[in-house]
Amino acid sequence: AGVSPATVSRYFTGAEFVSDSAAAKISEAMAQNGGAEPHRVRRRSGLLVLAVPHMRLAFYTELMKLFMEKVSAYGMQLLFFPICGMDAAQCRTWLGRMKPDGLILLEETEGVPLLEIAKEMEIPVVVCGEALPSVKRATTVHVNDISAAYEGTRYLLGLGHRNIVFFSNHARGINASYQRISGCSMAMQESGLSFGEPYVRYGELTYENGYRFAHEITTGGLQFSAIFAFSDEMARGAINALLDLGVRVPQDVSVLGFDDLPLAEQTRPRLTTIHQPIDEFVQQAVDIFFNDSGITKTREIVLP
């Protein structure tokens, strides 16, 4: 094969990363000499790596906290892997050194092709809390976002609201945001109402954007009686902006959030919100890695 015995050993045992070119040479040499490709054993390191895109959203912070609580019961270790500012080469180097049993993603990363890198290095991947149907050779665990957004919108319509403003983040492909927008649009159209500008605002699901959007639509004269924000943080920002402008919540404007984070209970007035089974997201992800069943296959776990 023209490679060292150590490289051949790594190739067959899966103990370390082997480049595509070296793997191709070994596989070709096996085929030329009539050898059967043996089953490659993946050694367990007991380490899970959670790729942290940023710390701006409380949803991610809550997921990280729950992962810390769960993995210890399985005798596994958890490493937080900040990928902000990293390039593909740096990620390959670090993952090669860590040799994790699995990689957990919270969202589709921009700029760093982590899914492709994990595929090259044969690291199993679970995408937790995000709907990414385009993902191959990975498991996605998420809520039924279409149904959740549909039910949330129907709830507001049932209260008599007709002018509802939706605070969303940008849809990329068929991700969770796209599915939530689809659910909201379906509910509005069933009631004979339009869905679109200027009643849909797009931006990262942060407190700051919730405050800014609510302030803009109120001072801009838009007629509305309800806000459906796609995160609890964004909803809390909207509530504070409305209160600062003398608008009463919920007497004048109803506000609905999404996620059911602890801050929903801590907010005054208490926030009505769509519940996501975040604890179950984490439990499912850790179970998948621990049981090692089907983790190299593409599958989707959708929770109610």
Side-chain angles (χ1 to χ4, degrees), residues 137-152:
R137 288 176 58 85
T139 297
T140 57
V141 183
H142 62 93
V143 76
N144 186 332
D145 287 285
I146 294 178
S147 174
Y150 175 84
E151 291 175 11

Side-chain angles (χ1 to χ4, degrees), residues 86-146:
M86 281 197 174
D87 58 26
Q90 289 173 312
C91 285
R92 281 191 179 88
T93 299
W94 279 105
L95 288 173
R97 291 175 182 172
M98 291 184 284
K99 306 177 184 65
D101 282 335
L103 176 65
I104 303 162
L105 298 184
L106 304 182
E107 66 176 21
E108 193 169 16
T109 55
E110 294 182 2
V112 179
L114 267 181
L115 286 165
E116 287 301 315
I117 293 171
K119 182 180 177 181
E120 292 171 10
M121 302 178 72
E122 297 187 339
I123 300 172
V125 175
V126 170
V127 181
C128 191
E130 175 65 283
L132 298 175
S134 60
V135 170
K136 304 300 181 186
R137 288 176 58 85
T139 297
T140 57
V141 183
H142 62 93
V143 76
N144 186 332
D145 287 285
I146 294 178

Side-chain angles (χ1 to χ4, degrees), residues 6-18 40-45 95-100 121-122:
T7 300
V8 176
S9 176
R10 290 198 301 272
Y11 175 77
F12 288 134
T13 63
E16 293 183 46
F17 175 59
V18 176
R40 296 173 64 186
V41 178
R42 188 172 63 87
R43 293 183 181 176
R44 298 186 70 89
S45 63
L95 288 173
R97 291 175 182 172
M98 291 184 284
K99 306 177 184 65
M121 302 178 72
E122 297 187 339

Side-chain angles (χ1 to χ4, degrees), residues 12 24 35 52 57 60 62 79 98 101 104-105 163 165 172 182 199 203 237 241 246 266-267 272 280:
F12 288 134
V52 182
L57 301 181
Y60 291 160
E62 190 65 19
L79 181 69
M98 291 184 284
D101 282 335
I104 303 162
L105 298 184
N163 295 322
V165 184
R172 297 192 303 272
S182 298
Y199 286 89
Q266 298 160 3
T267 299
T272 302
E280 185 67 13

Side-chain angles (χ1 to χ4, degrees), residues 46 48 65-78 282-283 286-287 290-291:
L48 296 181
K65 184 180 76 172
L66 289 170
F67 270 112
M68 288 175 63
E69 295 172 357
K70 296 285 186 185
V71 295
S72 59
Y74 289 79
M76 304 176 79
Q77 293 180 311
L78 180 68
V282 175
Q283 188 69 60
V286 178
D287 281 344
F290 184 76
N291 295 322

